[in-house]
Amino acid sequence: MKVRVRFAPSPTGFLHIGGARTALFNWLYARHTGGTFVLRIEDTDVARNTQAAVNVILDGLRWLGLEWDEGPITGDATGPDKGDCGPYFQSHRKANYRARVEALLSRGLAYEHEGAVKFKMTREPVVIHDAVVGDVRRELTDREAADPDFVIVRSDGEPVFHLVNVVDDLEMNITHVIRGEDHLSNTAKHIALFRAFGVPSPQYAHIPLILNPDGTKMSKRDQGALMTAYMDGGFVPEAVVNYLCLLSWSPKDNREKLPLAEVVERFDLPQILRANARFDRDKLLWLQGEYAREFGDDRFYELSIHALGRAGFDTNLFPVDYVKAALDTCKGKIKLFNELPGYAGFYFKDEFDYTPDGVKKDFIPENKPRLQKLRDAFAGLSPFIAVDLEIALKRVAGELGVKAGVLVHPARLACTGNTAGPSLYHLLEVLGKDRVLLRLDRALARMG
RNA sequence: GACCCUAUGGUCUAGCGGUUAGGACACCACCCUUUCACGGUGGUAGCCCGGGUUCGAUUCCCGGUAGGGUCGCCA
């Protein structure tokens, strides 16, 4: 039997990091088994659905690289889709639900109740055979024991989650339901519905949740909960996906950074851990840095230029070779691409403020004659290249009887406005003699 | 309140009926160095508690505790 899994988000809120992880595990299992990954939009809550949320779901999955085999192609519920089990928006499957409810009603398995339809839930404990958690015997809670039946169609005629979820899994021939553990308790209801429809339940696999760093449940309002925070925050999908793979799953060989293709090869349901995991942004950031450092030039330039553009820097105003040379000095130094405007913006603007800490420390009176002497030495240099700049600076330092750092720090502040940044000699070479002398003069005037 | 899941350093994890309990992030110190970052070396820190089984439990069983989830005409 060919594996068919689905990710079935509800567009009532923006794509969540936990939802992304659920999508990832479904995708991994589909790819691992050579199965099919279906995307289904559960938009039955008309009042709370938004088109923007649908778009973020599609954009987010594509950004992560989790392409689906079946499902909508655009965020338009009436738009094109791919696959033989559509429509993939639940808002367009109402006839299916109606027919299923009729069948239950006619067989006495459901009944009308004050305008709504309720399903006659079994009173017996339900055993859930879960691929991750094992066998779970779910008994009724006290409140359920008082009234075990539950609503499957609202009095306004709209079908409810438990019903539509099961009907679609059934009609879309879903073989494995991989979802968050928050659904484990509800699974008894779903199994009862499958029984009522006379078909076996899919294989369930309930995966642990992602918690906040303090161990509380991550909600949409928490820091870092939304996928857009990563998409817009200068992260790369490789790092986010890699990090997500390491939550509740492990390659078991002490490696942390590993290619997705290898995860696909090794991923399987029984090895998924059972305990919730806390989200650790520091570790994600570390992985982000690992990836950012190892990108090829083209990818690095592309992401960098994009990040600079978002911050208002138009790199098209500069020669391509200049832009590339400037970015080359930043590679391996930054983690988040969002850091780049602050880190390398000095290459692309002549007017900038000096960081106050640096002014206090480096633009001191005794440094003025030193910087002047350095400026004069630089003025005589041709060509203006890093190795010669370093020799010149160290010679001046020697003549002054000071360590190189005494000149390096004010020179850096003068030319970049910052106390930290790319290699000084290389950034000077990239800026070029004219810009460097101009900036040194400006700093000298400022120190006056 | 009831039902369900879970429990290895601060965090993510490996592991085992007998191990000096391994790795990674973070943190601290030192080295490298023009800053930052990288890299290198070293370090602090862990098997939730109580019973039971056993020659021996972090590992198996039971209980407790703690954390999480669910019990909607939300999904």
Side-chain angles (χ1 to χ4, degrees), chain A residues 145-425:
Chain A
D147 178 14
D149 302 341
F150 58 92
V151 170
I152 52 176
V153 180
R154 294 187 273 211
S155 44
D156 66 2
E158 292 296 323
V160 169
F161 164 72
H162 298 300
L163 189 266
V164 297
N165 189 265
V166 164
V167 167
D168 287 350
D169 284 346
L170 190 172
E171 297 186 352
M172 294 182 180
N173 302 310
I174 299 302
T175 60
H176 295 69
V177 172
I178 304 170
R179 53 166 38 161
E181 198 202 81
D182 49 341
H183 287 290
L184 182 56
S185 289
N186 287 149
T187 302
K189 293 186 171 112
H190 300 174
I191 288 175
L193 278 166
F194 275 106
R195 275 188 205 151
F197 290 128
V199 298
S201 318
Q203 170 69 59
Y204 288 101
H206 286 91
I207 64 181
L209 303 181
I210 298 179
L211 271 23
N212 285 315
D214 67 359
T216 55
K217 187 186 187 184
M218 196 179 255
S219 76
K220 298 179 204 299
R221 286 202 304 268
D222 287 311
Q223 269 295 324
L226 299 183
M227 269 305 299
T228 47
Y230 304 93
M231 299 163 69
D232 300 338
F235 285 89
V236 293
E238 288 93 330
V240 175
V241 166
N242 194 148
Y243 177 68
L244 255 19
C245 286
L246 262 24
L247 255 26
S248 305
W249 181 85
S250 164
K252 298 182 190 294
D253 59 5
N254 284 343
R255 287 183 311 149
E256 312 288 330
K257 180 171 183 283
L258 57 170
L260 230 209
E262 198 174 329
V263 180
V264 166
E265 196 178 305
R266 305 168 72 143
F267 185 86
D268 207 351
L269 266 15
Q271 313 153 12
I272 297 175
L273 271 0
R274 283 173 296 196
N276 294 340
R278 301 182 191 207
F279 190 82
D280 182 1
R281 190 190 147 91
D282 284 336
K283 186 154 183 177
L284 201 210
L285 199 55
W286 167 73
L287 270 170
Q288 162 73 21
E290 296 293 304
Y291 279 97
R293 185 178 317 118
E294 292 170 20
F295 278 145
D297 285 346
D298 288 345
R299 184 90 197 281
F300 186 77
Y301 295 149
E302 182 194 332
L303 291 165
S304 298
I305 288 168
H306 180 69
L308 286 167
R310 287 167 54 111
F313 290 99
D314 184 358
T315 51
N316 288 321
L317 269 26
F318 298 83
V320 174
D321 288 347
Y322 175 80
V323 175
K324 287 184 175 180
L327 295 177
D328 285 342
T329 67
C330 303
K331 194 161 177 190
K333 310 279 271 185
I334 55 136
K335 289 190 169 125
L336 253 21
F337 283 86
N338 276 16
E339 298 168 34
L340 211 53
Y343 192 82
F346 68 87
Y347 282 120
F348 308 106
K349 63 179 176 191
D350 288 317
E351 295 301 317
F352 50 77
D353 294 328
Y354 305 109
T355 185
D357 281 357
V359 171
K360 217 163 77 184
K361 216 168 52 187
D362 298 319
F363 281 3
I364 53 178
E366 54 263 53
N367 276 347
K368 187 170 180 187
R370 293 169 175 157
L371 199 59
Q372 181 68 53
K373 193 171 166 65
L374 181 67
R375 186 247 182 245
D376 295 341
F378 282 176
L381 278 184
S382 183
F384 204 73
I385 57 174
V387 280
D388 293 346
L389 285 158
E390 179 167 2
I391 290 167
L393 183 141
K394 286 183 172 164
R395 194 186 62 238
V396 172
E399 290 167 8
L400 290 167
V402 297
K403 294 168 94 170
V406 173
L407 296 176
V408 165
H409 297 299
R412 172 186 300 285
L413 186 64
C415 295
T416 72
N418 295 322
T419 53
S423 157
L424 178 69
Y425 309 115

